[in-house]
Amino acid sequence: MSRLLERPEAGRGAPGATDAYEMVIGLEVHVELSTRTKMFCSCPADFGDEPNTHVCPVCMALPGALPVPNRRAVEFAIRAARALHCEIARETKFDRKNYHYPDLPKGYQISQYDQPLARNGWLTVDVGEGPRRIRIRRLHMEEDAGKSLHGGENGAGGAGETKGETTLLDFNRAGVPLVEIVSEPDIRSPEEARAYLEMLRATVLYTGVSDVKMEEGSLRCDANISIRPRGSKELGVLVEVKNMNSFRAVQRALAYEAERQAEALARGERIERETRHWDENRGVTLPGRSKEEVNDYRYFPEPDLVPLMIDPAWVAEIERSLPELPEQRLARYQEAGLAYKEAWTLVTQRELGDFLDAAVAAGAPFRQAANWLLGEVSARLNETGEPLASLRLTPQGLAELIGLVEEGTVTATLAKQVFARMLETGDDPRQIVEREGLVQIRDESALEAVADKVIEANPKVVADILGGKEKAVAVLVGQVMRETRGKANAAKVNEVLRRRLERLREREE
């Protein structure tokens, strides 16, 4: 958080610059639903196909074409809403949201205004100061717009070209079903905004109604942010920030914008109600346009669609089909002994949590399996940038590897070598151990021979130990482990070395 927002320096600006400010943040999140067809027509709702190949008279708004609601989209919206603890309306309707933009073929968007599908939900997040509930004001359905491709004459040029600059329109996305999830202004920091967004994404992902990929646009986030003197109940001037395509971008953009507003107020300037765009490369928000008011959209009921009557029995049936949700998994993992941050990582990265549960089902102790996933497995994923499914590792294989450590067949050090070989070959861990001779050395006579060799090669360390520096034994233990390439049982090595050293001490006496 900025200095101005925490403890501004005196004299940085106009009177009031030393006031402490509080952030007030609300997020508007658009989620693209993974239905086979669009919201009001039968065109495929596929991502990445050739431009303008999934269009029809309905989504292109040709005269006489009438929309028909997609039942599956309504079901998915209810599914997401109940996962977010929202109340489902008995009656809901669609409205026309009027605005003119080149990639909006109708000249308006079919959305929902005063009778949304769902209201009054919540999510709980914790950024180190204890759990806080972030309220969700509403979840409503709408259709997506098309996509503008800015560039050169063929649409592939870079922005800012001065010759032949043009914009091409792809309407494949026009009419794809969305839900918009609007939070209350309950968020108080960029870190909390990121945590809310991560938990929201995980919750929707668990329901199966969307793949929520920010990089493909199936999850998009706009943020409303203002600041006010700490302790004040009056809201500041709201600024909307757009064009954030990652969790990190959301956090950075909000931190920058709060600092910008605080510095402006410290100089005696007035905050303008506007929409600003995040520039990821420069790390700044830039002015876009003045912020629209609700009246600017001239909402009115969609005349081509009748209101929807939602059967409570249908809602109950959808709710019964929900899987274990992130907040439930988070609580279960914490009850099993994980710290909050460890559990959070495994919950918000669903593939890790699913893998953990499968490994435990295959016989792995919970704590050890979690340690492997948070440690060696996550390190490999971070190194390669690949998804977990790309690794040549199965939950059964991880459970067997942990079993080899538990039964004493391999040491923790050897287990890491076996793990690396498993990823290279996809072989069973026990086969790798037997084939490559990685069985732990527990035979004391073999360890004594190595210990004698190490003691003879390190006379100064031995002298230090005999002189009272007991911690120096660790140096000899490390030497024995290196000599045995990590195969020796560390506890046995310690015992053998201490016996050998005690004999040397007795001889000196």
Side-chain angles (χ1 to χ4, degrees), residues 2-23:
S2 72
R3 292 190 302 272
L4 275 173
L5 290 169
E6 290 184 328
R7 187 178 299 167
E9 298 171 4
R12 279 192 69 175
T18 57
D19 293 343
Y21 294 100
E22 176 184 55
M23 296 187 203

Side-chain angles (χ1 to χ4, degrees), residues 257-275:
E257 180 57 25
E259 173 72 5
R260 184 192 71 83
Q261 292 183 31
E263 291 182 346
L265 291 176
R267 293 191 298 267
E269 298 174 4
R270 185 166 63 90
I271 304 299
E272 298 292 334
R273 181 179 170 86
E274 62 180 341
T275 295

